[in-house]
Amino acid sequence: MTEKELYRSLDYVNHSREKRGEMALLVTTNPQLVKPLLNIAFEIDDPISNRACWVLEFTAKENLPFLYPHLDMFTANLGRVHFESAVRPLAKICEFLTKTYFSRQKNELQTIMTETQLERVTAACFDWLIGEHKVAAKAYSMTSLWLLGQRYPWIHPELKMTLEQNYPEGSAAYQARAREILAKLKKLSAQKPSY
């Protein structure tokens, strides 16, 4: 399947889990489609890019290693995306990546993800958290930033400040995730020895 054919196929993908799942299955059985799918996903002014992002999320959920050869392209373009329906699945993929990277079980991602790529994920997640985005992207970003703070200590105080500032205006879902992350931050700071 060429990139043009893939693009045309994405025109038939809608919000339904069934359609997104069908397309993700196509990518799963043809991993060489990940790069053209990323190309389409990062055509950020094209509405079809949203659909490519939905399919990427479904693919990453089942086969995250398919993204590994393309981490540089993926992370380099995160900050360019502006359609809300593309930001949410990309934020979810960042959550998949950070959960895998910071897993206690040794895995391939821990050996191949670079400092630059981690920093790009950090920047994108902070942008999504403080920007005008819907709660799902913010919630996924909170989790990613919490995990990234294990490597970059400066993140946790910034994350805590941001969550406390935005908590009063946040939706119930935002507040629920913020409470969870703030509780983890509080527990972590209680464990640190004071000098």
Side-chain angles (χ1 to χ4, degrees):
M1 178 178 272
T2 67
E3 190 169 322
K4 278 187 175 180
E5 291 168 334
L6 179 61
Y7 182 91
R8 283 195 296 272
S9 296
L10 287 168
D11 202 26
Y12 297 99
V13 175
N14 59 29
H15 277 357
S16 75
R17 294 184 71 76
E18 179 187 355
K19 291 289 185 190
R20 289 181 288 168
E22 285 173 10
M23 195 59 141
L25 182 60
L26 175 68
V27 175
T28 297
T29 55
N30 299 281
Q32 72 278 8
L33 293 177
V34 173
K35 181 145 181 10
L37 190 60
L38 281 164
N39 290 339
I40 296 167
F42 292 120
E43 286 294 327
I44 59 165
D45 293 322
D46 186 335
I48 293 290
S49 67
N50 300 333
R51 296 168 190 212
C53 290
W54 302 340
V55 174
L56 270 174
E57 177 195 351
F58 265 59
T59 302
K61 182 178 181 185
E62 299 301 321
N63 297 286
L64 192 59
F66 285 7
L67 272 180
Y68 295 175
H70 313 285
L71 283 173
D72 214 47
M73 178 188 187
F74 178 78
T75 59
N77 285 286
L78 288 172
R80 297 177 49 239
V81 176
H82 58 88
F83 287 137
E84 191 63 39
S85 56
V87 167
R88 190 208 57 76
L90 294 179
K92 183 64 174 172
I93 293 169
C94 288
E95 186 182 73
F96 294 150
L97 287 168
T98 54
K99 282 182 171 181
T100 301
Y101 186 86
F102 290 99
S103 169
R104 291 176 193 215
Q105 289 185 320
K106 295 289 180 211
N107 62 70
E108 181 186 5
L109 186 61
Q110 295 165 340
T111 62
I112 62 169
M113 199 162 185
T114 67
E115 286 295 313
T116 300
Q117 293 163 351
L118 289 167
E119 289 166 6
R120 289 171 180 163
V121 170
T122 301
C125 288
F126 264 119
D127 288 346
W128 296 330
L129 181 60
I130 62 176
E132 294 295 320
H133 295 286
K134 292 189 178 172
V135 70
K138 290 178 181 285
Y140 300 142
S141 295
M142 286 180 210
T143 301
S144 293
L145 290 167
W146 154 251
L147 291 166
L148 286 157
Q150 295 175 34
R151 181 170 188 124
Y152 305 110
W154 66 267
I155 291 176
H156 283 161
E158 292 292 321
L159 179 59
K160 181 177 187 279
M161 183 181 71
T162 301
L163 295 179
E164 288 173 346
Q165 283 176 347
N166 296 326
Y167 187 87
E169 302 88 45
S171 67
Y174 179 95
Q175 290 179 349
R177 181 66 64 99
R179 271 194 309 274
E180 178 187 323
I181 299 298
L182 287 167
K184 288 179 179 184
L185 290 167
K186 184 176 180 180
K187 184 178 177 184
L188 184 67
S189 67
Q191 293 173 349
K192 289 183 180 173
S194 56
Y195 298 100

